[in-house]
Amino acid sequence: MSRLAGSEAPLTTDLTTRADTWLTAFQDALAARDVERAVSLFAEDCYWRDLVSFTWNLLTVEGRDAVADLLRNTLEHTDPHDFALVGEPTEADGVTEAWLSFETATGRGTAHVRLVDGKVWTLLTTLDELKGHEEPRRTSRPKGVEHGADRKRVTWLERRESEQAELGYATQPEVVVIGGGQGGIALGARLRQLGVPTIVVERNQRPGDSWRRRYKSLALHDPVWYDHLPYLPFPDNWPVFAPKDKIGDWLEMYARVMELNYWGSTTARSAAYDEREQRWSLTVDRDGQEVTLSPRQLVFALGVSGKPNVPVLPGQEKFLGDQHHSSQHPGPDAYAGKKAVVIGSNNSAHDICGALWEAGAEVTMVQRSSTCVIKSDSLMEHGLGPLYSERAVESGVDTRTADLIFASLPYRIMNEFQKPIYDTIREQDAGFYEKLERAGFELDFGDDDSGLFMKYLRRGSGYYIDVGAAQLVADGSVRLVKGQVSELTEREVVLEDGTRLEADLVVYATGFGSMNGLAADIVGEQVADRVGKVWGLGSGTTKDPGPWEGEQRNMWKPTQQQALWFHGGNLHQSRHYSLYLALQLKARAEGIPTPVYGLQSTHHTS
């Protein structure tokens, strides 16, 4: 973890000299457009991750040949220059780390480099802002009022009301974001600060309703330091794990304070792209009124998931009790004293089982496949603590620094850094895992034992951050059975091995499909298939088929469908990657050339 979190080794002049020597040589090679000389400064085993600054893409290249190809195709129009060390380099385990600033023809960026024996092992380059289109912050903040007497004065409220009345009707947005959860809200805030006319459309009535409508025991499993939104962090007294309704209220407040053009009670019906006009024709139902919008860019901001996966089982139409997907679960109150069967064993399944047990239901969990379970405290201590915790803040690691440190680690080798974390957790919590396994629970830590976060990145499922429900399974308070469901009868869930489970309630905690499945309902299957699968790395592990991509498929970057984008993830990813997506959209709005290097191919359209 030391390489990821930064070193505490004593700072020396030698380290600065070592980093400065490499940087001078690198900058000289780039200025001379000498690709071979630049590549010679990289180790044989090397990784360069670029977030927009060189490639107008999110792309990781691996090995010297790939670095050379990137430079040959981007160096001339990018014109990188004015590289400078920021702060003092550090060293740990023979790896020198340094932060850099730099400029390109169009913007300013930040870089992070890890050097081994004076050559690049990993390099991260990011675009922070566009020249001439900087956000109006700090010394550039708007004045807010024009002093003096003016009979034609237009107040802030009048301007705001006029904008809300006209945008989407008299004037058209540059961008429409479909989905008004945390992803759409974070991106909307970024675009607002960059002056890009944007409408966020959301089928729920109010910002935050997507949280409010979930089962009442839902709370964030990630800690507050990991979950800040852009510009407006949670206050210092915000709970470590926020309840869903508190998050919902925060999102509603945030959308209002950040002045988003947020269309609640609005459902996107259909969209088609006009190649000649280079605009979308998007039909929405806004609270019963059909409105056609014509944005240049269309963004789907749907979290991590697409449509709910609801199994089709014989006998479902005969079942006399309640049955629904976990995303539609209303909460446990109506089921006190009832027999509940929850099909699944990941986050939602555990949360719902725990809440039903607390309400007095008789609960059975049906585990269909193995699950990675990590105690929340252990994940906090070993997995997130070095970067996202109060101790990290006190040591000078703010949210942006933490995000960039994490982003600096290429996905190809991230599992090598994650595995020791989970090895430590497995040893520390051995007694906990023994109890679970004695209860018959089938555990895993990923195909390569790299743990929860890699499962999230690869497949977006297959894990539970334990906040108490696993103990109910371990001690038998929640009954555990394993197997596949074959059918439902009027009052039973029947497994393939013949096990029969009495049920008044069946909850399908069976996950979600890919986001392009939801997109297909709006843009059509042909366009969705042109994009291909959304999410995953192509690792070849369970539910993450190859080929290797090196980045999250089709997320936050150009796709094979012009002017169609996908944004989302957890709160951390929504915050971090919304910047890079917003900069790509702003550049296009301003007519800045954006030659994309390494446009992702289409894979896995189904």
Side-chain angles (χ1 to χ4, degrees):
M1 197 64 191
S2 59
R3 293 181 184 176
L4 181 59
S7 168
E8 296 180 0
L11 303 179
T12 66
T13 303
D14 288 345
L15 289 181
T16 301
T17 300
R18 186 183 308 162
D20 196 51
T21 298
W22 172 84
L23 181 56
T24 299
F26 185 60
Q27 181 160 243
D28 288 349
L30 297 184
R33 306 296 190 259
D34 190 336
V35 171
E36 290 187 4
R37 179 150 49 108
V39 170
S40 72
L41 299 170
F42 287 73
E44 291 288 346
D45 176 27
C46 62
Y47 305 86
W48 182 351
R49 188 178 192 213
D50 181 63
L51 305 183
V52 183
S53 60
F54 278 71
T55 61
W56 290 104
N57 198 354
L58 273 64
L59 184 71
T60 300
V61 296
E62 304 175 5
R64 283 180 164 183
D65 289 347
V67 170
D69 191 71
L70 184 154
L71 286 171
R72 290 191 191 101
N73 284 278
T74 66
L75 190 52
E76 191 60 43
H77 62 257
T78 300
D79 186 28
H81 58 278
D82 286 355
F83 282 83
L85 286 174
V86 177
E88 297 284 353
T90 60
E91 185 177 56
D93 304 328
V95 179
T96 301
E97 298 186 43
W99 291 97
L100 316 169
S101 62
F102 68 99
E103 295 191 18
T104 68
T106 56
R108 301 177 187 88
T110 296
H112 179 274
V113 65
R114 293 183 178 92
L115 302 173
V116 177
D117 296 328
K119 294 183 183 294
V120 175
W121 176 36
T122 72
L123 176 63
L124 171 73
T125 48
T126 73
L127 184 66
D128 297 340
E129 61 183 5
L130 295 166
K131 293 177 180 176
H133 304 285
E134 297 83 358
E135 292 184 2
R137 302 173 69 182
R138 300 188 178 94
T139 57
S140 300
R141 71 176 71 220
K143 190 173 182 180
V145 66
E146 293 296 327
H147 291 160
D150 183 357
R151 287 179 172 173
K152 297 181 179 180
R153 180 183 301 281
V154 179
T155 67
W156 172 86
L157 180 59
E158 290 168 334
R159 287 196 303 271
R160 184 79 181 105
E161 290 175 339
S162 175
E163 177 188 27
Q164 290 175 315
E166 294 179 5
L167 190 62
Y169 299 96
T171 62
Q172 286 299 313
E174 174 72 17
V175 178
V176 169
V177 181
I178 298 175
Q182 67 259 19
I185 287 172
L187 179 60
R190 297 278 195 192
L191 291 169
R192 180 77 184 183
Q193 294 307 302
L194 288 169
V196 179
T198 301
I199 295 174
V200 178
V201 302
E202 167 58 39
R203 62 185 177 182
N204 290 310
Q205 181 180 3
R206 298 156 52 201
D209 277 353
S210 57
W211 285 90
R212 296 186 187 98
R213 291 165 63 92
R214 298 295 302 279
Y215 51 92
K216 73 175 189 178
S217 63
L218 178 64
L220 287 178
H221 288 189
D222 299 320
V224 61
W225 306 277
Y226 189 70
D227 291 331
H228 294 300
L229 293 177
Y231 312 113
L232 193 59
F234 295 115
D236 289 345
N237 64 347
W238 195 259
V240 175
F241 302 107
K244 69 178 184 72
D245 296 289
K246 193 172 180 69
I247 286 292
D249 289 349
W250 181 265
L251 291 173
E252 184 169 22
M253 177 278 299
Y254 183 93
R256 186 176 183 86
V257 168
M258 299 306 293
E259 301 179 23
L260 304 192
N261 294 302
Y262 192 99
W263 285 16
S265 301
T266 303
T267 301
R269 296 298 188 194
S270 63
Y273 188 68
D274 188 318
E275 297 282 353
R276 184 175 63 84
E277 295 292 331
Q278 294 193 327
R279 283 186 179 274
W280 290 92
S281 177
L282 171 66
T283 300
V284 304
D285 180 329
R286 188 182 188 191
D287 202 14
Q289 178 190 20
E290 184 176 292
V291 181
T292 299
L293 301 171
S294 301
R296 293 191 184 276
Q297 309 291 335
L298 186 63
V299 182
F300 284 92
L302 304 172
V304 177
S305 307
K307 295 179 181 179
N309 288 329
V310 180
V312 178
L313 299 168
Q316 282 175 315
E317 74 285 355
K318 300 176 184 177
F319 183 67
L320 298 177
D322 294 343
Q323 56 178 317
H324 47 248
H325 189 265
S326 59
S327 60
Q328 301 300 314
H329 184 60
D333 294 348
Y335 304 106
K338 303 288 188 179
K339 297 181 187 297
V341 175
V342 178
I343 300 171
S345 57
N346 297 332
N347 260 338
S348 293
H350 275 87
D351 282 351
I352 291 170
C353 282
L356 286 166
W357 179 87
E358 288 181 350
E362 183 180 321
V363 188
T364 299
M365 173 187 286
V366 179
Q367 184 179 33
R368 302 177 302 156
S369 59
S370 61
T371 302
C372 179
V373 177
I374 305 294
K375 296 176 73 171
S376 176
D377 289 348
S378 299
L379 183 63
M380 284 273 293
E381 179 183 358
H382 300 290
L384 296 174
L387 295 180
Y388 300 99
S389 66
E390 203 62 42
R391 76 175 189 266
V393 173
E394 290 171 355
S395 68
V397 181
D398 60 16
T399 301
R400 179 175 181 271
T401 301
D403 288 349
L404 290 174
I405 291 172
F406 202 84
S408 73
L409 198 63
Y411 289 123
R412 174 73 82 175
I413 58 175
M414 186 176 286
N415 61 328
E416 299 173 17
F417 284 78
Q418 291 289 302
K419 187 178 184 301
I421 295 171
Y422 292 94
D423 288 344
T424 298
I425 290 174
R426 291 165 78 173
E427 181 178 353
Q428 172 185 291
D429 297 333
F432 166 72
Y433 291 122
E434 287 171 8
K435 290 177 182 177
L436 268 178
E437 290 182 318
R438 281 200 302 269
F441 194 90
E442 188 177 350
L443 288 163
D444 75 61
F445 289 86
D447 290 14
D448 52 3
D449 286 339
S450 58
L452 182 150
F453 194 69
M454 293 309 300
K455 290 191 82 170
Y456 169 74
L457 293 171
R458 291 164 172 171
R459 54 184 280 192
S461 65
Y463 53 84
Y464 170 53
I465 301 174
D466 180 36
V467 293
Q471 185 60 46
L472 297 175
V473 176
D475 65 21
S477 298
V478 169
R479 180 187 177 192
L480 175 70
V481 298
K482 293 193 293 185
Q484 303 298 322
V485 178
S486 62
E487 64 174 318
L488 270 61
T489 68
E490 290 182 350
R491 290 292 184 187
E492 295 174 315
V493 174
V494 184
L495 304 189
E496 289 180 347
D497 66 1
T499 301
R500 308 179 81 87
L501 306 171
E502 289 187 56
D504 301 300
L505 165 69
V506 177
V507 180
Y508 301 107
T510 45
F512 299 83
S514 174
M515 273 182 276
N516 61 332
L518 272 176
D521 289 345
I522 298 171
V523 298
E525 288 189 12
Q526 183 178 2
V527 172
D529 284 351
R530 188 178 304 144
V531 172
K533 181 176 173 62
V534 178
W535 202 260
L537 302 173
S539 63
T541 58
T542 302
K543 296 189 178 181
D544 185 28
W548 176 249
E549 303 288 352
E551 292 287 338
Q552 298 276 196
R553 284 192 183 101
N554 287 311
M555 291 295 295
W556 315 295
K557 59 184 177 178
T559 69
Q560 287 288 341
Q561 170 58 55
Q562 184 178 349
L564 181 64
W565 310 77
F566 290 83
H567 169 63
N570 57 28
L571 280 157
H572 156 256
Q573 291 170 305
S574 294
R575 172 189 67 246
H576 179 62
Y577 289 106
S578 59
L579 170 62
Y580 307 111
L581 177 50
L583 290 172
Q584 293 172 83
L585 295 169
K586 174 65 174 178
R588 285 162 173 78
E590 296 296 336
I592 297 171
T594 57
V596 176
Y597 173 77
L599 181 65
Q600 182 178 304
S601 300
T602 300
H603 298 294
H604 312 297
T605 58
S606 60

